[in-house]
Amino acid sequence: MTLTRPPPDTLGELTDAELVLLAAHPGPRREAAFEALVRRHAPRVHRLASGLVGPGTADDVVQEVFISVDRNLGGFRAEAQFSTWLHRVTLNACHRLLAARVHLPLDEAPEPPAPHSPVRAGEQADLRARLARALAQLPPEQREAVSLRELSGLDYAEIAEVTGAEVGTVKSRIHRGRAALRALLAGMGVTP
């Protein structure tokens, strides 16, 4: 199998590295390869962005991230995994947005309507709002580390690579962040 012309039905089966090669260079499979990368990674990018900037703005961050990835994919040197680079791009987009944002309380962010029980949806929206407020109160390094671990599912080594911190520092930030979240949520009346 050659990377320049895989059968159309196998793009989803290619590794990130193979898709990046196809998407980074002009050719007949470029657009389809990029779309496969977006489909594969957009949900994780959205979860991470939701945890850092709130659910109301996460869609904008996802769009900005993949526009940036499309523009800069040719310069990706594959010194790290694509997913690690993508998480760094996502964190940068979130930091830019937060720096430019007029600080509004996260509970003012509109919540999408729920297609099911309004009572349950209200409870979930309230819990999400409390969690967002608690996350926003964490120091940025702890919020970042906890979000990468809990929302993106990265392991400690991957978080260390994305953030540029040592693995021990990452573990410490996550431990302190989780403890602070428990205390903040308990103070808001949320029990595990």
Side-chain angles (χ1 to χ4, degrees), residues 50-54 98 101 103-107 128-144 147 181 184-185 188:
S50 290
L52 294 173
V53 300
L98 289 170
R101 176 188 280 181
H103 295 286
L104 296 174
L106 287 175
D107 59 350
R128 277 194 301 275
R130 289 177 192 211
L131 180 58
R133 280 195 304 273
L135 268 171
Q137 292 179 47
L138 293 179
E141 296 84 14
Q142 290 177 14
R143 181 175 53 242
E144 210 172 77
S147 295
L181 273 177
L184 288 165
L185 289 170
M188 294 178 190

Side-chain angles (χ1 to χ4, degrees), residues 66-153:
F66 284 106
I67 288 171
S68 178
V69 166
D70 188 41
R71 286 186 188 141
N72 298 301
L73 198 55
F76 174 63
R77 296 184 306 265
E79 294 170 357
Q81 292 183 29
F82 173 75
S83 60
T84 303
W85 180 69
L86 181 62
H87 281 95
R88 184 74 253 165
V89 172
T90 304
L91 289 176
N92 290 342
C94 290
H95 291 300
R96 279 192 305 278
L97 186 119
L98 289 170
R101 176 188 280 181
V102 175
H103 295 286
L104 296 174
L106 287 175
D107 59 350
E108 291 181 16
E111 191 66 34
H116 49 284
S117 166
V119 172
R120 180 144 169 82
E123 290 170 354
Q124 289 176 340
D126 179 57
L127 184 58
R128 277 194 301 275
R130 289 177 192 211
L131 180 58
R133 280 195 304 273
L135 268 171
Q137 292 179 47
L138 293 179
E141 296 84 14
Q142 290 177 14
R143 181 175 53 242
E144 210 172 77
V146 169
S147 295
L148 287 167
R149 178 73 177 157
E150 302 302 334
L151 301 176
S152 293

Side-chain angles (χ1 to χ4, degrees), residues 41-50 61-62 65-66 86-87 90:
H41 293 283
R44 287 183 13 198
V45 169
H46 192 275
R47 277 192 305 277
L48 177 58
S50 290
V61 170
V62 172
V65 163
F66 284 106
L86 181 62
H87 281 95
T90 304

